[in-house]
Amino acid sequence: MLEKKLIQTVDRRDFIKTLVVGATFILGCGGGGAGELSSSSNVNITQKQIKFGLGDDPEQIITTTEGRYVLETLKPDILCMWINGAKDNVGRVYSPSMDYVRDFAKRGRFTEYSRLGYEIMVITWENYDGQNTSYGQPTKGDYHISDRFLADIEETLSYLSSYGRTVYFALATEQSTYTACRYDCSRRYEYSDRINDTTIEYYSKLRDNLLKAVRLIKSKMPSAQVGISFGGWLIEFKEGLDFIKYFEPVIDESNAVFFQSMKNNKSSESNGYGNPESILKNAQFYSKYGKPVHLAHYMPDSMRQDVVADDMERMSNPEYVKTLSKYLSSFSFMRYSLLANNGYDCLTKTAKFRQLLKNI
C-alpha cells in the first residue's frame, strides 16, 4: 500500500552498483550483499514466462467500462483482490472487504472468473496507522494477530475451494510497518522494519499467526500458492534483512514468497534506483529460498502516471525481461484505474511490457 522511505542505515551508494548473479544486468540494480546468491542456494534460474496480474477489485475490472478497457488491453492472467483489516469504533478488528468477498460468492462471480480463465490472488493488509479513514481506527497490527484474520481466511477458502484455477495468498503485505504506531507514533521509525526488544512482542505473535494461516490454507487448498508478502525496501539494509530472517520459519512453511514495489519516483530521480531496479533485486534475493517468487503489487504510491510510463519503458528491454524471468513468477499491477486514461501513454507502455512477459 505504500512506498517505504529507507531509514538512515541505508548506504545509498550501494543502489547504483551493478549486481552480478550469473549474468551482467543492464540496469545496475544495487549491491551491498542483499541480492547475492551463494552457489549452494537452491535456485531455479530457468527462463520462463512471467504471469501478469491486475487489481485491485476484480468485480470492477470485469463489469465497468473503464475496467474492461484496461482488462482487454492487458489481458491479465491473474485478478487480484484484497482483504483489508480494520478496527471499529469500539476497538474490534474486522475486515470490511469480507462483505465484497461474500457478495462475489453469492452472485457466482468466482465461478465466472474461473470460467473466463483467470487465476486469483488474495492479498491481505491492514489499516495499521489509520491512513485509510474509511476503515475506522488504526489497527496497530491487531488484525493479523487475531482469530478474526484466521476466520476470514477460512471463510474465503470456503468460497474458493472449488476454484478451477490457481489461487495465490500473499499474506500480511508490508507487515514490517504494522508496529509504526503500536507503541509510540511519534517514534514510528524506531518501531518499523526491525525486530528489537520492543517489537518482538508483536512480531512473535504475527509470526505464529501467519504460520497458522499458511497451514490452514495448505490443508484446505493444497493447490494454492501461499506465502508472506514483504515490503520491497527490506532487502536494502541490515535491519530489514534481519527482519526477513526472523520470518524464515513462515517462508519455510510456505510454498511461495511475495514482495511489493511502490517507489514514488522515476529511476532518474532516485540516483538510478527506482522500481525496475528494486523489482529485479528483490526477485533475485527471494529466489534463494527455492520457491516461486511473486510481485504482489506494483504501483507508484505517488500515483504518478509518468513514473509508470518511465518504469514500463525501462523494463521493456528484452534483456531485462529475460533476466527477470529467471527469478520472478508473476508481476501484478495494483490498481487498474491508474492506467485507464492512458496518461503519458502509461497503459500503452504497460501493454508492451505485459506482452514481453508473455512472449519470453
Side-chain angles (χ1 to χ4, degrees):
M1 299 289 282
L2 79 166
E3 175 205 357
K4 181 66 176 179
K5 293 182 179 178
L6 299 179
I7 64 176
Q8 293 179 350
T9 52
V10 180
D11 184 351
R12 290 182 180 271
R13 292 172 298 180
D14 283 346
F15 286 3
I16 57 174
K17 295 178 183 176
T18 301
L19 175 65
V20 178
V21 183
T24 300
F25 301 135
I26 59 175
L27 292 178
C29 58
E36 295 174 0
L37 303 177
S38 69
S39 59
S40 61
S41 297
N42 180 21
V43 179
N44 179 3
I45 59 171
T46 303
Q47 193 171 300
K48 61 185 181 304
Q49 182 185 102
I50 301 173
K51 292 182 178 180
F52 185 85
L54 191 62
D56 59 340
D57 183 338
E59 175 72 358
Q60 291 187 16
I61 294 172
I62 292 288
T63 61
T64 66
T65 300
E66 179 184 78
R68 288 205 63 84
Y69 172 63
V70 178
L71 182 82
E72 291 168 3
T73 300
L74 297 179
K75 297 179 172 57
D77 306 292
I78 305 168
L79 299 181
C80 303
M81 54 181 268
W82 290 67
I83 295 178
N84 296 311
K87 186 174 282 189
D88 65 21
N89 290 332
V90 296
R92 292 175 298 198
V93 292
Y94 75 108
S95 175
S97 307
M98 290 305 297
D99 288 340
Y100 296 100
V101 175
R102 294 175 190 120
D103 188 57
F104 296 162
K106 181 179 180 181
R107 292 189 292 118
R109 287 304 190 191
F110 291 128
T111 301
E112 179 71 3
Y113 303 155
S114 178
R115 185 187 66 77
L116 292 171
Y118 297 113
E119 300 177 338
I120 289 286
M121 182 178 293
V122 179
I123 306 167
T124 75
W125 177 82
E126 64 179 280
N127 194 35
Y128 60 93
D129 66 352
Q131 66 190 76
N132 189 327
T133 56
S134 66
Y135 290 164
Q137 302 179 35
T139 63
K140 301 180 181 179
D142 285 340
Y143 176 68
H144 278 90
I145 62 172
S146 70
D147 290 338
R148 180 72 266 159
F149 166 64
L150 296 176
D152 289 344
I153 291 294
E154 186 163 22
E155 183 179 354
T156 301
L157 285 166
S158 72
Y159 303 136
L160 292 171
S161 60
S162 60
Y163 198 79
R165 312 285 173 172
T166 302
V167 177
Y168 307 85
F169 286 87
L171 301 178
T173 193
E174 302 176 343
Q175 71 297 120
S176 66
T177 60
Y178 293 177
T179 53
C181 286
R182 188 173 181 85
Y183 306 103
D184 183 348
C185 207
S186 68
R187 299 165 61 192
R188 58 187 299 133
Y189 292 113
E190 293 181 35
Y191 301 126
S192 299
D193 303 326
R194 64 192 72 189
I195 309 295
N196 57 33
D197 290 344
T198 301
T199 63
I200 198 168
E201 168 269 332
Y202 174 76
Y203 288 121
S204 62
K205 294 176 183 176
L206 179 61
R207 186 173 67 178
D208 288 347
N209 225 35
L210 289 179
L211 282 168
K212 291 178 182 177
V214 169
R215 290 165 185 161
L216 174 64
I217 293 166
K218 289 172 69 176
S219 68
K220 299 285 187 178
M221 186 178 282
S223 62
Q225 290 198 29
V226 55
I228 189 170
S229 179
F230 292 103
W233 60 86
L234 288 174
I235 66 170
E236 304 295 352
F237 54 99
K238 183 180 183 303
E239 291 93 338
L241 293 171
D242 291 343
F243 183 94
I244 296 167
K245 188 173 182 62
Y246 184 80
F247 281 89
E248 282 185 348
V250 182
I251 297 174
D252 291 343
E253 191 95 7
S254 304
N255 56 18
V257 62
F258 300 80
F259 68 95
Q260 57 85 278
S261 188
M262 299 185 67
K263 291 184 175 295
N264 284 325
N265 300 320
K266 301 176 184 178
S267 299
S268 61
E269 298 169 340
S270 307
N271 296 321
Y273 192 86
N275 287 301
E277 294 78 17
S278 178
I279 290 165
L280 182 54
K281 188 173 179 181
N282 272 271
Q284 291 166 331
F285 174 81
Y286 289 111
S287 69
K288 73 180 183 179
Y289 291 106
K291 303 171 189 289
V293 179
H294 302 276
L295 175 57
H297 49 110
Y298 156 81
M299 186 187 70
D301 192 41
S302 59
M303 301 288 284
R304 285 175 54 184
Q305 292 178 310
D306 62 322
V307 175
V308 174
D310 188 73
D311 287 347
M312 294 300 159
E313 191 166 358
R314 287 177 62 77
M315 291 188 293
S316 293
N317 182 307
E319 291 305 313
Y320 176 89
V321 173
K322 286 178 183 178
T323 301
L324 188 65
S325 73
K326 297 176 182 178
Y327 307 101
L328 193 68
S329 292
S330 73
F331 181 111
S332 292
F333 198 103
M334 185 172 170
R335 290 183 182 145
Y336 75 88
S337 57
L338 185 60
L339 301 171
N341 69 359
N342 200 24
Y344 295 92
D345 292 327
C346 62
L347 178 57
T348 301
K349 292 180 179 180
T350 301
K352 179 181 177 181
F353 175 63
R354 189 271 179 275
Q355 196 64 28
L356 283 171
L357 298 183
K358 186 176 182 180
N359 294 334
I360 297 169

